[in-house]
Amino acid sequence: MERFLSAVSAALGMDVSSLSINLSKNDISEWDSLGHLKLLLGLEEEFGIQFSMEEAGTLSSLQDIFNLIKTRTNHE
Amino acid sequence: MIAFLSNINIEPIKGFFEEETYFGGFNQYALELIDEKSRLHSKEITKVILFIDGEEFLRDLICEQLPNENILKEANERIIELLAMIKQYISKKGDVCFLINNIVLPVHSVTFNLKNRAIDFLDIEISMNKKIKEAAKSIHDLLILDWEMIVKSIGFNNLHDDKFWYLGRIKLNNKAFAAIAENYQNLVSAYQGKTKKVLVLDLDNTLWGGVIGEEGPNGIQLSEEGQGKIYREFQAVIKLLKQMGALLCINSKNNENDLETVLSSHPMMILKSDDFLVKKINWNDKAQNMKELAQELNLGLDSFVFIDDNPVERENIQKSLPEVVVPEFPKDISTLKSWFFESVIYKYFGKIYLGEEDLNKTDQYKTKLKRDSFSIGLTMNKFIKSLEIKLKIHHNPTEYIQRIAQLTQKTNQFNFTAKRYSEAQIRKFIEDDKVQVFGLDYEDKFGKEGLIGVAILKINQEKREAEMDTLLLSCRTIGKDVEYVFLGEILKKAQTYNILKIKFEFIETGKNEVAKTFYAQVKGKDEWEDLESLLIKSLEKTKINKIDIL
């Protein structure tokens, strides 16, 4: 979880302390359409996973992304 | 501030730069280059990175037809047109460092196995990149970001991501952005002349495998077989680096006698005794050796890179001499060569020009060392006389523009203002009637040093006043009264412009202590000094010693 949030903060260029898992796209101003791509790019690299086109279009909360990464990587 | 321009979305690269950034409109680069009212033309922009994605640049051509002569022609025209815009932008804007990548076209092509096609993507790439290279050669402030090399070393597919292209016009992934950022850093530090001068090497387990004191000269690993080949190839790269102007020194704990055999006659040694400028082979503290090296060569410790396999020695140097660059040594010795390229050469020994100067740098310094040891035991005046120094003043020399710019970039110790100038700026000075540029050429019985001094004098003929904007000498020649002669000669030239008063600009940089001492000696009470009395002062110095002006 910690690793996830710090990857999110790094990708969006914000302070990790201002993040929590229950935030979603509308709560974070940095998470705009470009931020969305930066976020997915950063997470793919950090966790060595791939989001599908469809997932990339629909994911909009940190919890959902976290769950998805969890099932992909089977750890944490 | 760095401006980014591109025909694809590269905004995520922002996270890889510490400097402030500006992103030009998506695919708007041509317009912004031309439009003098665009932000790109504002003063705050000091660097521009234009990233051209080859496929998008030629999309209308290469995505509908098979590669052919016409595409090649059109591609060339497009790149020439773009380069012309860049050239115009740089000359109008001034004071800007412009980076453009070399072009890489997609790896996928339906013509993949064809033997009987005249033209393929590679031909188009080569031809366009040749144009870019030619432009960079003639425009000093235009640099090439070597995207082709990045793609070759990391791989096209590892740098591109189709999904993000379709989601948001981002073609490159973070690995690509990181590689571009790193390449940019290395390139700009080479452009600014911030690269290192001296490579200091340990011996045992660094230039060969094993410890010579234990295994003996014939027991070390250095051969064409097995592990020994790693060290042999490593030495070959170091030898090439020397040819690029790097100075090599040894700082090693060994018995000197053991070593002479290896350095002079081991058949597998690529580096020979002569390749090293100074050898510190003893049992002293390596930090002490390092300090002595800096003194003997008259170079700052920040010009040194130290390579040693021993972590204790590395830490010792790093702790006691933090200015010295001490890279980690690879744990897996098979990576020695690629590690040396990626972590040492690219980072610290980049160069954008290779001059004749660089080719025999080691010899030049050897001459200097000889000269220095010759001076011991002679009185100062006798010493200077015996050197048979010959100086030559060049006035507004267009043939030395590159060298003069280089000196303003690199000289730290004897430099009144440490103002760094590009070639374009020096050219402007030379063409300007109100500015006089002087170069000083040095030669003595030990050898020719070439152009080693620069003075830039701003003249106000109405007021009959002049301001010394730049006064610098390469530290190799200081301490032989050359500085007084040079100043005297410039003052004489100034008199030909009817100048009566002169003012020196002096900016303390923390590194120009030597210049400060000289400044204190020539400077009078007033800000504006009487030129005549200053001239007499400097001529007095030069009367004592016989220094010829050619």
Side-chain angles (χ1 to χ4, degrees), chain B residues 384-545:
Chain B
I384 293 172
K385 260 180 212 161
S386 63
L387 279 175
E388 297 163 24
I389 297 171
K390 293 187 181 72
L391 300 176
K392 194 171 172 182
I393 309 280
H394 298 273
H395 189 176
N396 290 333
T398 45
E399 69 274 26
Y400 286 114
I401 288 175
Q402 190 183 321
R403 174 69 182 148
I404 290 173
Q406 191 189 35
L407 279 170
T408 70
Q409 299 281 347
K410 290 204 305 198
T411 312
N412 289 318
Q413 299 186 63
F414 194 100
N415 194 335
F416 270 42
T417 53
K419 290 186 185 173
R420 312 301 191 194
Y421 290 120
S422 68
E423 277 179 53
Q425 286 168 309
I426 296 294
R427 188 178 296 279
K428 254 187 213 163
F429 283 150
I430 289 182
E431 285 163 2
D432 186 345
D433 289 345
K434 296 187 188 70
V435 184
Q436 304 304 323
V437 179
F438 301 97
L440 179 73
D441 197 281
Y442 178 100
E443 182 186 341
D444 66 24
K445 71 172 181 186
F446 290 103
K448 285 184 181 176
E449 289 287 351
L451 200 86
I452 46 86
V454 175
I456 299 173
L457 198 61
K458 294 190 166 160
I459 303 248
N460 185 335
Q461 267 189 310
E462 279 168 31
K463 287 189 174 170
R464 306 184 70 180
E465 288 172 354
E467 267 181 83
M468 192 74 87
D469 172 272
T470 292
L471 183 64
L472 67 86
L473 280 170
S474 163
C475 48
R476 294 202 291 266
T477 50
I478 298 167
K480 296 189 267 292
D481 290 351
V482 170
E483 51 270 42
Y484 289 99
V485 184
F486 187 36
L487 179 64
E489 289 303 308
I490 295 162
L491 296 176
K492 279 190 211 162
K493 295 266 187 201
Q495 276 189 330
T496 65
Y497 291 90
N498 296 320
I499 301 299
L500 295 177
K501 297 269 181 199
I502 184 160
K503 184 170 106 179
F504 291 92
E505 200 176 335
F506 191 87
I507 301 169
E508 270 198 63
T509 61
K511 281 182 164 187
N512 59 353
E513 204 48 41
V514 188
K516 202 179 158 188
T517 314
F518 179 69
Y519 176 55
Q521 279 174 34
V522 296
K523 171 180 96 127
K525 294 183 294 276
D526 305 317
E527 192 188 15
W528 286 95
E529 286 185 61
D530 187 48
L531 190 129
E532 186 70 36
S533 55
L534 189 59
L535 180 58
I536 292 169
K537 218 196 262 180
S538 35
L539 286 182
E540 265 170 20
K541 273 279 180 186
T542 58
K543 244 187 272 167
I544 310 169
N545 304 310

